Structure formats: structure tokens, C-alpha cells
Amino acid sequence: MTLTEPTPRQGSSLPSPRFRPEINGLRAVALALVLIYHIWIGRVSGGVDAFLLISAFLLTSSFAARAANNRPFATARYWRRIFLRLAPTASAVLLATLASIILLFPEIRWTQLIQHAWASLLYGQNWALVLESGNYQVSDVSTASPFQHFWSLSIQGQVFVLWPLLLILAAVIAQRCKYSFTRIATVLFLTIFLGSISFAIAEANAGSGSAYFDTRARLWEFALGSLLALALPYVRLRPGVRVALGWVGLLGLATCGIVIRDVAAYPGWGSLLPTLSAALVIVAGATAHRWGADRWLTVRPVQKLGDLSYGIYLWHWPLLVVYFVANQKDAVTLAEGLGIIALAVVLAWSTERFLNRPLNALTATHERRSTSILVVLAVIVAVPLLGWQNRIHHAETQLQNQSRELNPGAAVLDATSIERSNNALPIPAATALDEQWGNAGPACDRTHAPDNAAIDSCHQIEPTTPPQKTIAVIGDSHARQLMSGIIPLAHERNWRVISLLKNACRYGAESRERDPECNAHNAAARDYVQDLSPDAVITLGTMSLAQYPRETVVPGYEAGISPFLEMGIEVLAIRDNPRFDFNMYECVATHGSSAAQCNPPRNEVVPSDNPLERMSAEFPLLHSIDFTDAICTQSTCPAIVGNVYVYRDYDHLNKTYVETMIPAIKREILEKTGW
């Protein structure tokens, strides 16, 4: 990639850009840090932050030089050139990664990875990760996505579109208001810098896990690079100072991952160290001093690494993740890591030599061809991706149309044995697991919608005639998953059901074991239910554990339900389903449905003593509800029952299986309550 930046001229004008080999060397250093920390350390290095600053510095330098020389910005031409430079290698990596996923990755991950592939192709991978980081339902992915590293390329692509528009805006304002372009652009990017870094720090302080991938939290790094590009032509430093700055910058960048280990510090205050360090190296520039850092940054091997840095970055991550999946490992040795790097270098060189250069040569004399080439590259990736999606959809449709007599699920447990047809596949399909979360129904109407912002959601099942009972459901995802069995019973019995659910927030009185948001939600839900004064409240009374003692009463549970009992409201305390330290669905895919590890003994998974039984004996209005016999046999707690997968992950029941539990849910609730 051509690296350009302005050099000083007399007066206030900016020059034409020129190549800066020390910046190419700086890119090589940033890449080396990314490789080392990704492959062996598993922590943020600050290298990507330096990449982002460099890209904005070069972009702004080029456009500022055009503005100073009264040359047209030629934005459309810039966009064609920059994306043609990015697209060939990105397309090759996407295609190779897709092939690896089909061959090596478990089907349980295909749906998510297809979404990631589309997001990466369309420069939106960072937003896909932002959405997932706030989505509890995809938080249990066992391995990283091989497309995850496209987040930084996606943000760069978004900025490569946005920045020229901002620079055009600055030029228009400068022309109309008779101010200098540099002054207007400086004010514009300083505003973006202050707003973005404030947002990033605020998100980090709020504990947001999505800020790392959020474009808004990253714009300040680009703005800093732009401010550097605008200010650098006016900076005059002595040779000795420039030498010192170069080494201070390199040292700061190299030690960033050691000094700042908390990933929550990025991209807020923590990212100031790598970005400012990279800025110091750029300010130092070409010192031509025997002890200057630039002397080492411009040696031939470092320059070659800088030339291939983009390709190596794109290739190394999927190679690493694919190696993990293929070998069922989560770490590599020094030799294995070096092998991955070597292969990434070879692939980066090959794509540059046999793909990038020929395609760029086609546009050397006819630049408008680049648009056609970009379209062709996108289609080459999109067509197999669409084909894969259609194949998955067809397989899911066939499975859904399979006679339900072949998939009885929990119904076979009434016969004390598990029956499974040899002529049918178990359901649901691995690729359909995203649809297997319980549905709590439509949102609450105006009459019943809570006015407390601490309550995350309110769902309401309303009968067509006056309700025979009003029931409130409070809890987390384990309460949500049972709604697929409770709602049919509500329709049959003419109940109004109002559910106040918050993922990862089991209901109980305030406890240090819960985060403040969960405690606030539970307190607001308690107040809401007291005002509603329903006939009954359904909650989870126990919490299953992956290890011994395997089950415990929900923290603060008795204190949490006491206000309801005192009001004469019945409480249905449901015993939690078993939890495991491995993915039950993947267990079957890896070891087979009859493998011992996929069919753990019931007495090891479910304690014989249900603590809710003792509690219900003390409180007549408290009913202990236990669905274990609809999930486990008398001897095991299998991954598949009645040709239906019981679990979608470590501890959540599949909606399809819960639907086969409806008769058992009805029987248990009606018998225990006497309704």
C-alpha cells in the first residue's frame, strides 16, 4: 500500500504527499505486536490502534495536500482505489475461511458464522460484534469467530467513506467563510476527537462490552491521526529531539500490552498510549541519524513486512482459529505459532503477487474498471454464501416437515424408556438453534406496562374473555425457556400471564451475588407484582451448577418471595434444570448420542434432595414445582430424549423440547397447586 504524507513548505500551504518508509516500518511493528499478542498471549496489544491512527493520518495528508494546492479531491476515484486495494485479499480470505468452516466447524456455529461472513463482506463486522456483545443468547460461543478480526477493517472501511465527506465539508465551509482549510478541518476533527473519546470512556465506565467494536468509540483514534496530519507541517524540531521522540514512541507502542492489561481500557484512555506512541514515531520522521529509530524501521526486512502487513493481518486470525478447531485446542506452542505466521506470510505474498497486482494493473489505464472488479469480487463471495444458506434452509425445512411422531421428546419418559427411530434425524437442526429460545409472547399493553425503567421487558398473554387467573412470571432466561410450555396452559385455562424477564438475572431479594442492574430489576419487579396483586407468581427457586454441589437455592429467594406470600399470593417455585460444563448439543455432534459424556448419570447431575420441598412445607402458599422427570430418565440426564435434543447449549432447554414437555408441565403445576 502506498504511504503518503505532507512535508513542510513555506507559509501555510501543504505540499504534495510523498512516501514515508518509516511509517511503513511502523506498520510492520504494529503488525508484529498484533501477531504476538493474538497467537501466544491472548490480550490486546495496541497494534490495531496504531493501524487506525496511521490510516487516518495518510488519508487526511493526501486530501489536505490537494486542498492546499487547489486540486480537486476526486473522492469517487479515491474510493475506487482504496477499496480495490482492500477487496482482493479480503475476498480471498473470506472464501478460504468459508471453505474451512464447512469442512471443520460444527454445524451449531454455522448460522452465526454465516452472519459474520456477510457482515465482513459488507464492512459491518464490528456492528455484528456490538450486537452480539449485548445479546445474552449468543454469549456462550465456545470459540472465537474466524471473521472476528474483520471488525477493524470494517471500521476503516466506514471511515474511508465518511472522512472524505467530512474533508469536503471542511473545504466548503472554508471557501464560503473565507477561513483556511486547515483551521476548519482542525476544529472539525478536534470536535470528533473530544466527543468520541468521551463516549468511549463513558461506555467503559458503564461496563459496556461493546465499546471495543463500536465505530463511535473509535472515531477519536482516526481524528487524532487527522489532527496529526494537519499539524505536522508546522512542527519544527531539532534532530536530537526527533531521535528521542522516535525511540520513546517505539518503546511506548512495544510495551502497551504489558503496561495496560485491562481490555476495558480500550478504546478509551488505554488506547491513548499506542496512538500517541505511533504519533511520536510519525513526528520523529526520517531523522537520517545513525541512532534514529527510523534507521531500523527502514531496513529491507521490516519494509517487506510492512508491505505485506494488511494481508498477513487478514490471514493470520482465521488460520489460528481454524487450527484451534481442527485440533480441539485453545493455545499453541512457539513452534506452532511460528508455523501459523509463516503460512500467513506465504498466503499474504501469494494474494498480493497473483491477485492484487494483476487486478490493480487492469485499472492502471482504465480506472473505471475498478468498480466492475469490486462488484465481481463481491459476487464471487456472495454466491457461495447464498448457496450455503439455501442448502441449510432446505435441510432445516426437511427436518421441520418430518413427522412429529418420530420426535416425541419428553413423551417417551412416561413410558420409562427412551425410544428413538432409526429412520429419523433428531430435532432441532444445529443451524436452527438461534430460533430455540423461549418466546414470552407480545409486549404488555398500556394498562399493564410498567413505568419503571429498571424493568427490562414486560410480556403479556391476554385471554379473549375475562381471565380466570392472573399470573406473574419473574426471572431470567431459565424462566423464559419455560414460557413455551406455560403459554399453552394459560390459553387452555384462560389465564392472564405477565412476565418480567431479564437474562442472567434470577429473581430474589437484593444480594451481593447479583450486579446492581439485576438487583434494581428485581426490586422493581417485586413492586410491580405487589401493585398488580396477581393470583400467583412463578419463579425459579433453585439455581443449578455445573460442578458440585450441583444445585443451590437462589440467593435471597425466601426474602424475595416473602412479600408475595404475606399478601396471600401463591408462589410456584420451579426447580432449575441441570447445568453442565460442556455444550450438550456439541457433545452429540462430536462423540455421538450414545456416548457416556453426553448421558451423565442423574444422581451425579441432580441432587436427590430438592431444597424447595422443605421450604414449601413451611409455607402453605409456596408450591415446589419439579420438571426433572420430564428432562431426565431415572438413571441419566441425556442430551437427546425421544429423538429431540434436550439442550441448545450448556444449560438452556431447546424450545422444541419444552413444547414436548407441555403435558408434564400441565400435570405438575395443576397437581401441586390443586387448580
Side-chain angles (χ1 to χ4, degrees), residues 38-61:
H38 274 180
I39 293 174
W40 290 292
I41 302 177
R43 205 166 61 236
V44 178
S45 67
V48 171
D49 300 270
F51 276 127
L52 302 185
L53 177 131
I54 291 170
S55 63
F57 173 83
L58 298 173
L59 186 161
T60 306
S61 297

Side-chain angles (χ1 to χ4, degrees), residues 387-399:
W388 188 19
Q389 279 187 296
N390 289 334
R391 180 182 175 186
I392 289 173
H393 178 70
H394 179 69
E396 289 178 0
T397 301
Q398 283 188 314
L399 206 54

